[in-house]
Amino acid sequence: MTGPAVPQRLSAPEPGWTDTVDVVVIGSGIAGLTAALKARELGTVLVVTKDVVASGSTQWAQGGIAAALSPEDSPEDHLQDTLVAGAGLCDPDAVRALVTEGPDAVRDLIELGARFDTLANGEISLTREGGHHRNRIAHSGGDATGAEIERALVAAVKRAPDIRLIEHALVIDLLRAEDGAIAGVTLHVMGEGQLDGIGAIRSRVVILASGGLGQLYAATTNPSVSTGDGMALALRAGAKVRDLEFVQFHPTVLWLGKSAKGQQPLVSEAVRGEGAFLVDHEGKRFMQGQHELADLAPRDIVAKAIMREMLAAGKDHVYLDARHFGDEKWRVRFPTILASCRSHGIDPVRELIPVAPACHYSSGGVWTDLNGQTSVPGLYACGEVACTGVHGANRLASNSLLEGLVFAGRIAAHLARGLPEQREPAVDTRIPGLVDADVVPELQRVMTVGAGVIRSASGLGEAGAALGKLIELPAGEPGTPGWEATNLVTVASALIAAATVREESRGSHWREDHPDRDDQHWSGSLDLTLFADGERARPGTNFVPQSKENRQDG
């Protein structure tokens, strides 16, 4: 094999200070803060977050959190909808844990202080989103559910004197003991507070809750901090990742023009749940007849239908029609989306909303078991960074907040059986490296074209070759931009490898050269590790499957 190698660890100065805690939590969204609140009874807890504590993806969640809270609903119904959306790759045991433990987890969140919208009788107001056959989406502030959940969790963490918090800090790499188990982390604190520069935190356990990889693509609903850091450092520590080829593109992201880049405004699926529908440039509905749920079909089906319509018409967007809502419904039910549209010169009360798919969520991630344990002893993961088996090939709408909540609790319950002993960090012999920080715009273009909604062997091959050239560029001095760029290239390389190997179309993975789902050959999940047969990994080549685990929905 030829080509430059993905770095085994990040080039960085030696730590100038050290500290010791029992549990390090990386990330401050619903998964990370829930894990911290539940783990504080077990020992000292430190939460590390890249920006301010409330800056992650959770606050941007509009639609809500899915749980069987209605007498007309049941965990079994929720399970079936999740399995169907996952297109044959869900782990039924993980889904059952999610749907059965989910309602109580939401009630615990309410006890913590989260406020959900209610009906006149005081019951929680529930709505429906794509792929759901029941009204089971709890929401807050109409379309500000994530912001309310984050508010409640941040307040609870700040009330807890036994949880330490380091903001403006990027975790660089995991410290490992001689046997490969976790011994802590190295991190860079970006000039805020008492700690500054490169440091080392020794810990007995590390919980990854660092979010997703949205910044791999030119247009995404993810915030700027979503640079795949957790997946990349887990790979460098030898952890396996699973199902990384399944990247969900949200069907209805506000289209702001061809030149729009970075985080784009989301138009929640709940808008369609309340009766909005998609139309082409002639005003004709095109989802009817494509799925029994029409405009509320699972996200992969809607995103593909939009892409087909755009390609056939030679257009770069379609429209969402919610003019029949009227002014009052828009103001009460969707105030955030209404303000966002109007800030961009679109009045959804009177005008069609231009929308197009954009990168939204990674269904795959760092593999975990039902207790959140990864393949590296002492390393746990929950939330979008993890692959718990819940989402399969395509996440069911509003299951992500619930997954973070439930599996953070399962991690804490498992750790309550006994924390591992603190291990001594071993000398790190991995080869360091760094990617030029300036490659990110080209990386995003390459991924959008070659590994976006529509994929093929030729497109993926070109994307892998382009990544190889980007890695060859001379890197600058170590720092946050270069570290983030290296993380993005690492995760992009693994994603391209998985997408190249899976020669079928399933869920959110769409291969135009293999347009059909192939259960005979591809009913399993692909596991990848950074090191294959003792060699250094290369983009799109020796990030190879370490195993293919069969999963069947029955």
Side-chain angles (χ1 to χ4, degrees), residues 27-30 32-34 36-37 47 49 52-56 58-59 109 112-114 146-161 163 165 167:
S28 59
I30 188 171
L33 296 185
T34 300
L37 287 166
V47 176
T49 187
V52 296
V53 67
S55 66
T58 293
Q59 67 162 326
L109 194 58
L112 196 66
E148 169 58 19
I149 290 173
E150 186 75 3
R151 180 206 62 78
L153 289 169
V154 169
V157 165
K158 290 186 175 180
R159 289 194 303 267
I163 297 178
L165 177 66
E167 297 179 310

Side-chain angles (χ1 to χ4, degrees), residues 66-68 72-88 90 95 98-99 127-137 291-293 296-300 390-392 394-397 399 553:
E72 289 81 38
D73 197 5
S74 70
E76 187 64 28
D77 287 340
H78 191 182
L79 180 142
Q80 291 304 320
D81 285 346
T82 301
L83 293 180
V84 169
C90 295
V95 178
L98 178 84
V99 300
T127 189
R128 192 177 304 189
E129 293 185 0
H132 293 272
H133 285 77
R134 298 283 186 273
N135 288 353
R136 65 169 66 99
I137 314 301
H291 189 274
E292 60 164 332
L293 294 175
L296 276 178
R299 288 177 177 173
D300 64 310
V390 161
H391 304 308
N394 181 51
R395 175 174 68 87
L396 183 65
N399 267 357
D553 295 347

Side-chain angles (χ1 to χ4, degrees), residues 79-319:
L79 180 142
Q80 291 304 320
D81 285 346
T82 301
L83 293 180
V84 169
L89 290 193
C90 295
D91 180 339
D93 292 335
V95 178
R96 192 167 296 281
L98 178 84
V99 300
T100 56
E101 297 172 22
D104 283 342
V106 173
R107 295 184 186 103
D108 289 344
L109 194 58
I110 294 171
E111 287 291 320
L112 196 66
R115 300 184 293 263
F116 291 95
D117 296 340
T118 57
L119 302 172
N121 62 6
E123 294 181 358
I124 295 176
S125 175
L126 300 173
T127 189
R128 192 177 304 189
E129 293 185 0
H132 293 272
H133 285 77
R134 298 283 186 273
N135 288 353
R136 65 169 66 99
I137 314 301
H139 50 85
S140 180
D143 57 359
T145 312
E148 169 58 19
I149 290 173
E150 186 75 3
R151 180 206 62 78
L153 289 169
V154 169
V157 165
K158 290 186 175 180
R159 289 194 303 267
D162 45 356
I163 297 178
R164 291 175 52 199
L165 177 66
I166 298 181
E167 297 179 310
H168 305 286
L170 172 66
V171 174
I172 297 172
D173 270 311
L174 295 167
L175 295 172
R176 298 181 302 168
E178 288 288 351
D179 61 0
I182 292 301
V185 300
T186 57
L187 72 166
H188 178 248
V189 185
M190 295 172 259
E192 299 284 340
Q194 293 181 326
L195 301 177
D196 191 12
I198 302 292
I201 306 287
R202 295 185 59 191
S203 66
R204 299 160 75 177
V205 166
V206 171
I207 301 174
L208 288 177
S210 54
L213 46 67
Q215 293 299 320
L216 281 181
Y217 294 90
T220 178
T221 62
N222 291 189
S224 61
V225 294
S226 297
T227 52
D229 305 320
M231 294 181 198
L233 67 89
L235 278 165
R236 290 194 294 270
K240 69 180 179 182
V241 298
R242 173 170 289 182
D243 293 342
L244 210 59
E245 65 270 34
F246 297 112
V247 177
Q248 186 177 85
F249 286 76
H250 198 288
T252 54
V253 175
L254 189 62
W255 184 78
L256 300 179
K258 295 180 180 179
S259 61
K261 298 290 189 293
Q263 186 178 11
Q264 307 293 300
L266 178 66
V267 181
S268 170
E269 201 152 344
V271 177
R272 280 176 285 135
E274 294 287 346
F277 50 86
L278 291 157
V279 297
D280 62 18
H281 283 252
E282 303 300 321
K284 180 182 177 181
R285 297 184 66 171
F286 57 85
M287 282 305 302
Q288 292 175 315
Q290 299 211 32
H291 189 274
E292 60 164 332
L293 294 175
D295 294 86
L296 276 178
R299 288 177 177 173
D300 64 310
I301 293 173
V302 180
K304 290 173 185 176
I306 291 173
M307 288 299 299
R308 289 190 189 102
E309 178 61 36
M310 288 162 50
L311 290 170
K315 304 292 185 180
D316 41 24
H317 64 284
V318 296
Y319 292 101

